[in-house]
Amino acid sequence: MPSIAIIGAQWGDEGKGKVTDYLCENADVVVRFQGGANAGHTVVAGTRTFKLHLMPSGVIRGATSVLAEGMVIDLDTLWEEIQTLRSAGLDPTGRLKISDRAHLVLPHHKKLDAGGGMIGTTARGIGPAYADRSARIGIRAGDLRSDTAILDRIAALWNAHPDQVRDVGWDASAIPDVFQTWRARFAPYLADTGRLIRGALKEGSRVLFEGAQGVLLDLSAGTYPYVTSSYTTAAGVAVGAGIPPNLIGNVFGVSKAYTTRVGQGPFPTELQNELGDRVRAAGNEYGTTTGRPRRCGWLDAVALRYACDLNGFSGLVLTKLDVLTGIHPLHIATEYRIDGARIAAFPADHEALSRVTVTYTTAEGWQEDLSGVRRFENLPPAARRYLDLVAALSGTPLAAVSVGAHRDQTLAVRPIW
Ligand code: IMP
């Protein structure tokens, strides 16, 4: 099967952008299928660092880059990314395809989401945009093609929440000027991207589906309500990209060698102490999108097993192993208990998750700097044992390990494509 999916196995920020960039060398098409500018992918290419929010990471390698129909797109942010890429000599024109079915993030969505609320969102308008989509009053990228469609959709929005629409200076009788700008800028990129991807797969092209956020932020499977508003699991690929599920090939989960979380919500293995601060500093754990310090903690194999079960991962890519250098002993969560009783599964109830006590297994740490290691076999024995333990506890074989932000700091364990 010429397609693979890369899925975040934790609460996002696992290093999917770097992993995608590494795998893109062999990809013809790279697809973002959910989320929007809440994502933040940092890709280091030689001496250049790119921080992308909407554009698939593959755009830097020259792959056809698709923003598929499961996304909510902030066209102003996308325009900034196009300009950044152009000035770096990587003009995506001709390779960038935007689904005409994707929804737009509109000014009132961002206003409603400002400040992040009690969920601690990224304030990019994601939840309100998906809410309008589900309420069937959203505006889709394809609507930019027609004045009638835009007027019709604005009238629908106006009927549903006139105060919000009035508040951003729009009314139901005229097309706001910004639509002319968006049309001029983006009409050339609009496409039936589902058809394009299905056609590419039929012809044997290699397609990479690049997940954003992570399993525990999935609207359905995650730690609701402290989740994002899209489907971040492998199951989301089919609906979000517009392909039949049987065209999704191998699915790889990306996890850090420890755990981080931004925003509110339960986090059983969180280290609210000096060790947590040390991991944050060593791993530079600050949000790409919001700059917020990330909460840091031990690797949680209970949550990881849940992610593996839900997604059927063919393999795990473990990132940021280098950050754990010098910490001894290392801990990995193996079991949750509530009121002394072991719980068999990752709980649906966030209140229960916030009350669990965690049982840990320990592993020997290592002192060696890993950033110069270029082959898996050359990792120190203690690091190899830690990785073996992660694979055993998650029931999933390792596919690759990452020991730094650069492309050559990814150590292959088995072939991925
Ligand atoms: P939203 O996606 O902006 O609505 O935020 C909902 C929750 O998901 C918040 O806890 C955010 O911090 C979290 N979140 C959204 N996108 C990301 C991401 O790319 N990485 C990590 N956390 C994210």
Side-chain angles (χ1 to χ4, degrees):
M1 178 79 67
S3 85
I4 56 174
I6 300 299
I7 300 292
Q10 300 173 301
W11 275 291
D13 307 318
E14 300 92 349
K16 296 177 295 293
K18 188 214 150 153
V19 173
T20 304
D21 178 61
Y22 164 73
L23 295 169
C24 271
E25 207 158 28
N26 298 310
D28 302 302
V29 183
V30 182
V31 181
R32 277 274 315 264
F33 56 90
Q34 44 73 227
N38 49 350
H41 290 168
T42 306
V43 182
V44 180
T47 54
R48 294 184 297 189
T49 299
F50 295 91
K51 289 187 189 294
L52 302 172
H53 297 286
L54 284 161
M55 204 65 91
S57 305
V59 74
I60 294 162
R61 294 273 198 182
T64 297
S65 300
V66 177
L67 274 60
E69 58 212 55
M71 289 189 74
V72 287
I73 303 175
D74 176 343
L75 291 177
D76 296 327
T77 301
L78 183 60
W79 188 247
E80 281 170 29
E81 288 184 16
I82 293 173
Q83 298 314 312
T84 304
L85 290 167
R86 280 185 180 152
S87 53
L90 295 167
D91 191 342
T93 308
R95 299 185 285 116
L96 174 62
K97 308 288 173 193
I98 302 172
S99 168
D100 46 16
R101 292 180 170 88
H103 278 247
L104 302 184
V105 174
L106 301 170
H108 70 281
H109 297 142
K110 289 196 262 193
K111 222 166 178 178
L112 280 169
D113 202 22
M118 72 102 175
I119 304 293
T121 72
T122 61
R124 294 298 187 272
I126 304 300
Y130 277 117
D132 276 359
R133 180 175 104 150
S134 294
R136 292 155 295 185
I137 53 171
I139 301 185
R140 304 197 295 178
D143 293 329
L144 293 177
R145 293 184 180 123
S146 142
D147 282 349
T148 320
I150 297 171
L151 273 176
D152 176 59
R153 302 317 301 152
I154 290 179
L157 266 179
W158 179 266
N159 279 336
H161 25 240
D163 293 345
Q164 291 167 15
V165 177
R166 194 183 297 115
D167 197 34
V168 293
W170 291 7
D171 66 48
S173 63
I175 299 179
D177 290 346
V178 71
F179 281 90
Q180 303 301 346
T181 308
W182 286 341
R183 178 184 293 162
R185 288 177 174 171
F186 293 102
Y189 300 112
L190 297 177
D192 180 345
T193 56
R195 185 161 179 265
L196 183 149
I197 299 165
R198 295 190 298 272
L201 285 168
K202 220 172 251 174
E203 285 166 10
S205 297
R206 289 177 180 227
V207 179
L208 189 156
F209 298 101
E210 178 182 6
Q213 293 85 44
V215 173
L216 300 177
L217 289 172
D218 182 271
L219 178 61
S220 173
T223 49
Y224 191 89
Y226 299 100
V227 294
T228 191
S229 300
S230 65
Y231 298 107
T232 60
T233 60
V237 173
V239 183
I243 61 160
N246 64 356
L247 288 185
I248 306 168
N250 286 326
V251 180
F252 293 91
V254 184
S255 167
K256 279 178 188 161
Y258 48 95
T259 308
T260 62
R261 170 161 212 182
V262 282
Q264 302 305 310
F267 180 176
T269 63
E270 184 168 14
L271 287 164
Q272 288 177 300
N273 55 20
E274 272 175 30
L275 195 51
D277 295 343
R278 173 177 169 172
V279 171
R280 183 177 309 107
N284 190 25
E285 295 296 355
Y286 295 88
T288 311
T289 300
T290 59
R292 290 180 288 178
R294 295 177 184 144
R295 302 155 63 192
C296 298
W298 297 118
L299 187 67
D300 184 343
V302 181
L304 194 56
R305 263 198 314 269
Y306 175 58
C308 293
D309 285 353
L310 262 174
N311 288 280
F313 294 140
S314 313
L316 275 181
V317 180
L318 216 73
T319 61
K320 293 197 150 183
L321 186 65
D322 53 304
V323 172
L324 297 183
T325 286
I327 301 176
H328 173 81
L330 295 163
H331 289 58
I332 301 179
T334 54
E335 196 177 272
Y336 293 161
R337 287 177 182 268
I338 294 183
D339 300 330
R342 181 178 181 273
I343 53 171
F346 190 82
D349 175 4
H350 72 88
E351 196 274 329
L353 190 62
S354 66
R355 285 197 306 120
V356 298
T357 50
V358 179
T359 308
Y360 291 97
T361 187
T362 56
E364 186 192 343
W366 57 90
Q367 298 300 323
E368 295 90 335
D369 173 13
L370 306 186
S371 59
V373 177
R374 292 293 175 273
R375 291 175 62 83
F376 180 71
E377 298 72 32
N378 296 341
L379 285 168
R384 295 278 297 271
R385 283 195 290 275
Y386 183 76
L387 295 172
D388 287 345
L389 187 58
V390 175
L393 289 171
S394 63
T396 307
L398 283 183
V401 176
S402 164
V403 292
H406 290 271
R407 281 175 176 173
D408 61 356
Q409 289 174 309
T410 306
L411 321 177
V413 182
R414 66 191 68 238
I416 290 189
W417 279 103

